[in-house]
Amino acid sequence: MSALITPRGDRIVYDDLGSTGATTAIFISGAGPTRAEDPVTLATGKAFAARGGRAFIADRLGRGDSIPAGPIDLDAQLEAIDALSREADTPVILIGHSSGCAIAMLAAARTTDLAGMVLWEAPLGLFEGGAPSWWASVRAAIDADDLEDAVARYMVGMPPEWLEELKQSPAYPQIVLGWVPDGEALSTVEERGYRDVLSSVTAPLLALVGSETFPGMTATADELAASASDGRSEQLAGAWHSWEPEAMAERLARLAGLAG
């Protein structure tokens, strides 16, 4: 376990896997578990490291061991990613998962040595009425201190069993406060438009979906790839919003130029 302090004083805890000096994969999770509860990402990082790369798997702010010094918002999350990329001191690949894709897209413009970006099943263009309207509704519930309603509004359109599982978590309903960067990022990306957000990104972009996925995900991946200067959309082994670790590690290695 490693840790760093961002310029604003947030403590970010992360697992550092692989060799110093190697191209570093920085995983940006969505509104999901802590790193300790995410065996898929851990297995992916280990497999990428075994192929000659390096992986940073961090707890998001307010999650697990990462302690915020102030409000958990998009600016704080982007600063945390920037601090991780500087700590790597190598070319980095940003890997966004779900709503983490929108955060990765916004972080890319601040990443000085970006070797590539991978977006796994970005939930963009899928909200009824658009992400800005959806996020305004969630934000209103948070501001009214009705966190249970905020969680329900955030989860609209997702499988109902996901919400029921969340209700069993000891972090429920305060968990929604850690999703503020996700909501702000999704809203910002849709409001600005994919081409504008990606306009400064010259590194390769891979928009990936699983072999079994939700409606609309493939169309979004195609649109994201078309909006980048060097973009591709691909299918990768995985199901229902989760990738297969070995398949992802192999694809990351090829992107990093590590595969033979």
Side-chain angles (χ1 to χ4, degrees):
M1 184 180 79
S2 301
L4 58 78
I5 305 296
T6 72
R8 74 172 60 197
D10 296 326
R11 182 175 187 263
I12 307 300
V13 172
Y14 61 100
D15 294 320
D16 181 356
L17 309 172
S19 302
T20 301
T23 297
T24 304
I26 298 177
F27 292 86
I28 305 169
S29 63
T34 66
R35 76 188 200 288
E37 301 166 327
D38 185 2
V40 170
T41 302
L42 178 60
T44 305
K46 288 181 176 179
F48 179 63
R51 287 168 167 80
R54 187 183 185 190
F56 283 0
I57 303 173
D59 274 326
R60 288 268 306 269
L61 281 178
R63 204 180 288 178
D65 297 313
S66 291
I67 309 301
I72 305 170
D73 57 17
L74 178 57
D75 284 342
Q77 185 58 58
L78 293 176
E79 190 173 270
I81 295 167
D82 184 53
L84 286 166
S85 68
R86 292 178 185 277
E87 183 70 18
D89 196 27
T90 63
V92 303
I93 300 172
L94 300 179
I95 303 105
H97 178 244
S98 192
S99 54
C101 293
I103 296 173
M105 290 169 68
L106 295 169
R110 302 169 56 151
T111 304
T112 55
D113 198 357
L114 185 67
M117 179 161 48
V118 175
L119 306 176
W120 176 267
E121 298 198 347
L124 291 160
L126 304 178
F127 295 94
E128 185 175 352
S133 176
W134 159 80
W135 176 240
S137 173
V138 179
R139 182 78 250 187
I142 291 175
D143 291 342
D145 201 28
D146 190 347
L147 299 188
E148 290 191 11
D149 188 39
V151 173
R153 294 185 187 194
Y154 191 100
M155 299 290 289
V156 66
M158 300 184 194
E161 59 269 24
W162 290 8
L163 177 57
E164 293 307 311
E165 288 175 8
L166 276 174
K167 289 181 178 179
Q168 308 309 310
S169 168
Y172 174 84
Q174 287 78 15
I175 192 171
V176 74
L177 299 176
W179 299 346
V180 170
D182 305 76
E184 290 180 344
L186 289 165
S187 177
T188 298
V189 168
E190 284 199 12
E191 196 165 40
R192 285 178 54 187
Y194 306 157
R195 286 191 183 278
D196 179 65
V197 172
L198 297 171
S199 61
S200 64
V201 178
T202 58
L205 180 149
L206 296 177
L208 303 179
V209 297
S211 44
E212 296 179 84
T213 189
F214 295 106
M217 288 291 183
T218 299
T220 295
D222 290 344
E223 193 172 349
L224 287 169
S227 299
S229 62
D230 183 7
R232 296 183 59 174
S233 60
E234 298 177 3
Q235 186 181 93
L236 193 75
W240 311 124
H241 222 34
S242 183
W243 62 68
E244 290 292 335
E246 287 292 337
M248 177 63 86
E250 189 277 333
R251 190 63 185 92
L252 291 175
R254 283 196 283 130
L255 182 60
L258 300 174

